[in-house]
Amino acid sequence: METIKLVYPVEGGDLIEAGEASSKMKLTLKKLGLPQDVIRRASICMYEGEINMVIHADGGEAQVEVDSDQILIRMIDSGPGIPNVQQAMQEGFSTADSTARELGFGAGMGLPNMKRYSDEMTIDTVVGTGTTVTVKIKIPQ
Amino acid sequence: MLLSEIKEILNATVLWGEEHLDREVVSACGSDFMSDVLAYVKNQPVLLTGLVNPQVIRTADMMEMCCIIFVRGKVPSQDMINLAKDRDIVIMTCPKRMYEACGLLYYNGLRGNCDGND
């Protein structure tokens, strides 16, 4: 399979609408005929990343690359960055505000969930500049 | 268990998807925290929740769920119902509280499909 590249803008500030990019990606992955479990894991990773972007970084961009071996998702934002990545990776740690909690998020599960559902995950972050979270989901051959 | 049986057990009202009540499900989960649904749900196609906002529909969509039941008589907006329709997710509302609704379904054979350890 030739590498397929997809780009989805993620609007900031509107948590009600967050998740639209993930839905579109999921639909595209279904059309590609990928295994259901792979689609599910990739969709959850991107959805969590999208919610994080809207809550913490006023949006950003999701870049997705699909080839025969894996799905690579990069969630790129120009937000405030993560001062302590180790702390942010702890389940239950959250700096989300009450708006996020009212919508059922902000439980400190976003990044841990992305790690749980991916095969590899890296976080590149610079305080005051932004964050890129990259996840890989392998496609069983 | 068929969705039609769930409707009867919970005395629920179907807000969308009456024609899909012949869907058969083997497990369910209940939560008001979508983060927990994303973290812990594994192949549970029915979600019971008291939370009412579009992210409930989107979360259920990501988890490949086929039915959402709003407890405590909560009624989603028409926009939410339209979103669920677009995602092919049956929507019901029931007057019972979460504990009682989950308990009744469990008592009637609809399990959680998890061991509670993860």
Side-chain angles (χ1 to χ4, degrees):
Chain A
M1 181 199 291
E2 200 173 309
T3 301
I4 296 166
K5 295 184 179 181
L6 309 161
V7 177
Y8 302 95
V10 176
E11 297 293 327
D14 190 355
L15 198 47
I16 297 288
E17 291 301 319
E20 199 54 41
S22 307
S23 290
K24 286 177 183 166
M25 182 199 70
K26 185 183 170 199
L27 203 60
T28 302
L29 297 182
K30 275 189 174 178
K31 283 179 184 167
L32 290 172
L34 296 176
Q36 192 176 358
D37 182 58
V38 169
I39 295 172
R40 182 171 163 269
R41 289 166 58 212
S43 301
I44 294 169
C45 285
M46 183 151 152
Y47 184 50
E48 288 282 20
E50 204 180 335
I51 295 288
N52 270 348
M53 263 186 183
V54 176
I55 292 175
H56 299 291
D58 199 28
E61 187 174 271
Q63 298 177 355
V64 182
E65 291 179 19
V66 187
D67 61 33
S68 53
D69 297 324
Q70 65 179 24
I71 301 170
L72 182 74
I73 303 172
R74 286 192 200 90
M75 305 299 292
I76 305 165
D77 71 60
S78 303
I82 305 171
N84 186 332
V85 172
Q86 199 177 358
Q87 194 175 34
M89 285 303 297
Q90 288 174 10
E91 288 192 4
F93 177 80
S94 176
T95 58
D97 62 15
S98 59
T99 307
R101 292 175 200 277
E102 284 163 13
L103 290 174
F105 297 100
M109 299 298 288
L111 289 173
N113 270 352
M114 291 176 81
K115 188 171 177 63
R116 176 181 282 120
Y117 287 109
S118 62
D119 293 300
E120 283 179 42
M121 173 172 155
T122 56
I123 301 173
D124 298 301
T125 184
V126 178
V127 173
T129 301
T131 300
T132 297
V133 180
T134 306
V135 293
K136 284 182 191 173
I137 293 100
K138 292 178 185 167
I139 300 170
Q141 300 303 305
Chain B
M1 182 181 287
L2 298 175
L3 294 187
S4 57
E5 294 175 271
I6 291 178
K7 178 194 172 190
E8 193 174 328
I9 290 165
L10 298 180
N11 191 24
T13 302
V14 179
L15 301 175
W16 184 79
E18 192 82 45
E19 66 274 32
H20 299 306
L21 296 186
D22 57 349
R23 288 178 181 170
E24 187 162 15
V25 295
V26 294
S27 62
C29 65
S31 180
D32 285 354
F33 233 145
M34 295 304 105
S35 292
D36 278 355
V37 172
L38 290 165
Y40 300 116
V41 167
K42 289 176 187 168
N43 303 319
Q44 285 126 316
V46 177
L47 170 66
L48 291 95
T49 186
L51 189 69
V52 185
N53 68 64
Q55 293 307 341
V56 175
I57 313 290
R58 294 185 191 281
T59 298
D61 180 36
M62 294 301 151
M63 305 308 288
E64 296 286 340
M65 291 171 159
C66 72
C67 177
I68 301 170
I69 300 154
F70 292 97
V71 297
R72 303 193 289 275
K74 301 283 181 77
V75 177
S77 67
Q78 191 57 50
D79 282 350
M80 284 180 66
I81 294 171
N82 291 343
L83 189 62
K85 184 179 177 183
D86 188 51
R87 288 351 187 227
D88 197 31
I89 299 170
V90 173
I91 298 289
M92 300 187 204
T93 182
C94 81
K96 300 189 186 306
R97 297 184 181 188
M98 178 74 96
Y99 180 78
E100 195 179 355
C102 291
L104 280 168
L105 293 181
Y106 193 91
Y107 177 77
N108 281 279
L110 190 63
R111 301 301 197 223
N113 192 29
C114 59
D115 58 14
N117 293 322
D118 59 7

